[in-house]
Amino acid sequence: MGQSDEDQGTDNEICTIASAGVDSGGLQTASTSGFNKTEETFTVDDALEAIGFGKFQWKICLLTGLSWIGDAMEMMILSILGPQLHCEWRLPSYKLAILTSVVFVGMGISSPVWGNMSDKYGRRVGLTICMCWTLYYGLLSAFAPVYGWLLVLRGLVGFGIGGAPQSVTLYSEVLPVKARGTCIMLIAAFWAFGAVFEVLLALWVMPTLGWRWLIGLSTIPMAIFVCFCFWLPESPRFDVLTGKTDKALITLTRIAKENGKAMPQGKLTIYQKVRNERGRIKDLFVPQYRRTTLLLWFIWFAYAFSYYGIVLLTTELFQAGDSSTQGAKIEPSCSLECKYLTSADYRDLLWTTLAEFPGLFVILLAVDHIGRKKSMALCFFMFSLCILPLYACIGRIALTIFIFIARAFISGGYQVAFVYTPEVFPTENRALAMGTCSAMARVGALITPFVAQVLLRTSVYLTLSLYCGCCLLAGVASLILPIETMGRGLQESNLDQEAGGQEGE
């Protein structure tokens, strides 16, 4: 018992120092002599570690996962709508590329907006509003009478989807350290499930009901999320950072109760310097984060550019048929031809989409063993390696296999970026960091339709070279990131990194 009291006393001293100047009145008893009873204190990290991973985290995983399913379905639908509208509305390839890109324009504009909102008003607020927005305009898209209306409505859908990454921010802030990497990777399985479900839905709906029903039915996951979002808690880290310790304590008590664990004894401490200025872009460029921010922006750009590129290339190369598998070049005249996606095309699209799952499994093993940085680099280099055989004249089966492997690695690596980014940035601007990184990803996604759907008509080799070269550079960028976050606790403020020096670097 003497040893236990001594340990507790040491912990109390650390917590008291960390919270000095903020709640000194409430912690006056903590400065008494070692022979007097001290008031025990604990932080959000202490509470989450004591409570551990349990029933509550599974529930929030399922709920935030619905937003990922909805996001994936809205993205996957872009590669399915193209050939259909090309035939039904006689749209040239550049208009199809614009229709795809306008979604990413909306996402790129809105991602920092949703991130700023989440840093100022809460993760729950930002995520709920963006899902309601996406659901509303997603349903309206199904009734678009002409190309112009569809273009505007899909752009507004993209504006809403830009807030979906905030679900990762919220989820990461209620996880214990050891479970964080694996759990965030598992939530990525919902993205894979959403992509597969969209292809299965298209295989069932498109031949009979048409693309309008496909757009309408694709909003079901978001509708379910909106119905159950009242259950969603606010992040206890956000509440503590904003001085709402009572709300944070209620949330932590709720987590402990649902997990069947006991809360730590004592009083919840608040951070040493609660700042009112949260969600400021300039905080991402303070000396200790400047290099990380710039490198991550390029890495996210490369992931989206390559991921959505391989998704769009899949339908383009399958639809090209003999011209790509026997002639090694898609002639420009193909853009004038009208070819609906066949059941064989949907089947091969399903096989390549299923690649998300093995890719996720491989990276799940790597992320907590070789680290986040090396995992991202591995994925970029393997993607580039799998692109090389596409330069040759290969058959449809070989094409499907190499696209399968390439997509497996690029999708798995994309999820590592979702693990690394909220880990490396502090709570006070974590949502903004996710938002700006997501915005850079949308810039890559915005450009890729003009490469995969337009440039491909001119030169297959140049198209593949752009994807291969971009990923090689991104792999190098991943390796030179200054901070490895594996096993590292979440920081609450830039001041934490300053206090810790450069030990993470």
Side-chain angles (χ1 to χ4, degrees):
M1 287 181 64
Q3 179 63 38
S4 177
D5 290 340
E6 184 178 337
D7 291 344
Q8 289 176 1
T10 303
D11 290 341
N12 289 342
E13 288 174 18
I14 295 171
C15 294
T16 303
I17 292 168
S19 57
V22 176
D23 197 19
S24 57
L27 297 176
Q28 286 177 356
T29 57
S31 61
T32 58
S33 65
F35 292 98
N36 295 329
K37 285 188 175 181
T38 60
E39 181 179 0
E40 295 183 16
T41 59
F42 63 90
T43 63
V44 174
D45 271 327
D46 295 333
L48 290 174
E49 289 302 315
I51 295 168
F53 186 89
K55 185 178 177 181
F56 176 87
Q57 279 84 3
W58 280 116
K59 284 183 178 179
I60 198 170
C61 177
L62 291 173
L63 190 54
T64 53
L66 284 171
S67 66
W68 273 118
I69 292 176
D71 187 2
M73 292 178 72
E74 291 295 338
M75 291 296 96
M76 198 65 199
I77 203 173
L78 298 176
S79 63
I80 297 169
L81 276 182
Q84 189 74 18
L85 294 178
H86 179 52
C87 293
E88 192 169 319
W89 285 358
R90 297 291 174 181
L91 297 178
S93 59
Y94 79 89
K95 283 194 174 183
L96 294 178
I98 291 173
L99 185 61
T100 303
S101 294
V102 74
V103 178
F104 297 118
V105 169
M107 295 168 80
I109 293 171
S110 70
S111 291
V113 175
W114 294 120
N116 188 272
M117 178 186 291
S118 297
D119 275 334
K120 286 188 175 181
Y121 304 107
R123 284 56 163 134
R124 176 185 177 181
V125 173
L127 184 59
T128 302
I129 293 175
C130 84
M131 285 295 107
C132 290
W133 178 291
T134 309
L135 172 63
Y136 178 70
Y137 287 108
L139 284 172
L140 285 183
S141 299
F143 300 97
V146 293
Y147 174 77
W149 271 108
L150 186 61
L151 193 67
V152 172
L153 291 171
R154 295 311 292 175
L156 290 170
V157 167
F159 190 91
I161 295 174
Q166 299 312 324
S167 60
V168 177
T169 305
L170 174 58
Y171 187 48
S172 68
E173 292 181 348
V174 296
L175 291 171
V177 174
K178 290 183 179 179
R180 193 186 309 125
T182 302
C183 292
I184 295 178
M185 291 296 293
L186 285 176
I187 200 177
F190 287 98
W191 174 280
F193 178 77
V196 170
F197 183 66
E198 184 66 29
V199 177
L200 292 174
L201 188 64
L203 186 59
W204 171 57
V205 171
M206 291 295 279
T208 54
L209 300 175
W211 62 269
R212 295 183 187 276
W213 276 92
L214 181 65
I215 291 179
L217 292 173
S218 296
T219 62
I220 289 176
M222 286 175 286
I224 297 173
F225 176 90
V226 170
C227 291
F228 289 95
C229 65
F230 65 88
W231 179 88
L232 202 65
E234 184 51 85
S235 163
R237 291 181 184 275
F238 176 82
D239 282 336
V240 167
L241 191 70
T242 53
K244 302 173 184 174
T245 51
D246 291 341
K247 289 186 177 180
L249 195 57
I250 290 171
T251 302
L252 290 171
T253 304
R254 173 185 169 188
I255 298 173
K257 183 179 179 181
E258 292 202 29
N259 285 4
K261 297 290 181 69
M263 280 282 288
Q265 296 298 313
K267 181 177 181 179
L268 178 63
T269 59
I270 62 177
Y271 187 68
Q272 58 180 348
K273 290 186 179 180
V274 178
R275 292 164 36 163
N276 293 323
E277 306 89 356
R278 297 182 304 278
R280 300 183 304 178
I281 284 283
K282 69 178 185 179
D283 287 336
L284 301 179
F285 292 94
V286 294
Q288 64 266 35
Y289 287 113
R290 186 185 301 120
R291 184 179 169 192
T292 299
T293 298
L294 293 174
L295 286 173
L296 274 178
W297 280 5
F298 175 67
I299 288 168
W300 278 70
F301 170 90
Y303 268 129
F305 179 72
S306 306
Y307 176 80
Y308 293 115
I310 201 70
V311 170
L312 294 173
L313 275 175
T314 302
T315 51
E316 290 292 327
L317 293 175
F318 286 163
Q319 195 183 25
D322 292 339
S323 62
S324 64
T325 57
Q326 294 179 7
K329 181 177 179 181
I330 300 175
E331 298 297 333
S333 60
C334 288
S335 62
L336 302 176
E337 297 176 10
C338 173
K339 292 183 180 179
Y340 287 97
L341 290 176
T342 64
S343 58
D345 292 329
Y346 282 119
R347 187 172 58 252
D348 288 339
L349 182 60
L350 177 61
W351 277 115
T352 55
T353 304
L354 285 170
E356 307 256 347
F357 290 102
L360 200 59
F361 178 73
V362 170
I363 298 305
L364 193 60
L365 297 176
V367 73
D368 282 325
H369 288 85
I370 65 173
R372 282 50 160 158
K373 291 166 39 174
K374 290 180 181 177
S375 295
M376 288 191 285
L378 173 68
C379 291
F380 278 125
F381 292 143
M382 288 302 297
F383 178 85
S384 299
L385 190 63
C386 292
I387 288 293
L388 293 178
L390 302 187
Y391 283 88
C393 180
I394 58 176
R396 176 140 180 162
I397 294 176
L399 180 70
T400 303
I401 291 171
F402 283 113
I403 289 178
F404 181 95
I405 299 171
R407 183 162 175 177
F409 277 101
I410 202 66
S411 61
Y414 205 170
Q415 304 312 322
V416 180
F418 276 98
V419 175
Y420 180 84
T421 306
E423 285 183 337
V424 78
F425 289 100
T427 301
E428 64 182 4
N429 53 33
R430 184 172 296 121
L432 179 63
M434 285 292 290
T436 54
C437 286
S438 181
M440 291 305 297
R442 305 319 171 190
V443 174
L446 168 66
I447 296 171
T448 206
F450 294 97
V451 177
Q453 293 178 318
V454 179
L455 182 61
L456 185 71
R457 310 288 183 183
T458 304
S459 172
V460 174
Y461 297 141
L462 180 57
T463 300
L464 297 176
S465 297
L466 283 174
Y467 289 117
C468 192
C470 181
C471 283
L472 287 174
L473 289 175
V476 174
S478 301
L479 291 175
I480 62 175
L481 280 166
I483 303 170
E484 174 56 69
T485 61
M486 183 173 65
R488 179 177 181 257
L490 292 184
Q491 309 295 300
E492 302 301 335
S493 167
N494 289 337
L495 298 173
D496 286 352
Q497 180 70 8
E498 291 174 4
Q502 300 299 321
E503 65 183 53
E505 303 182 19

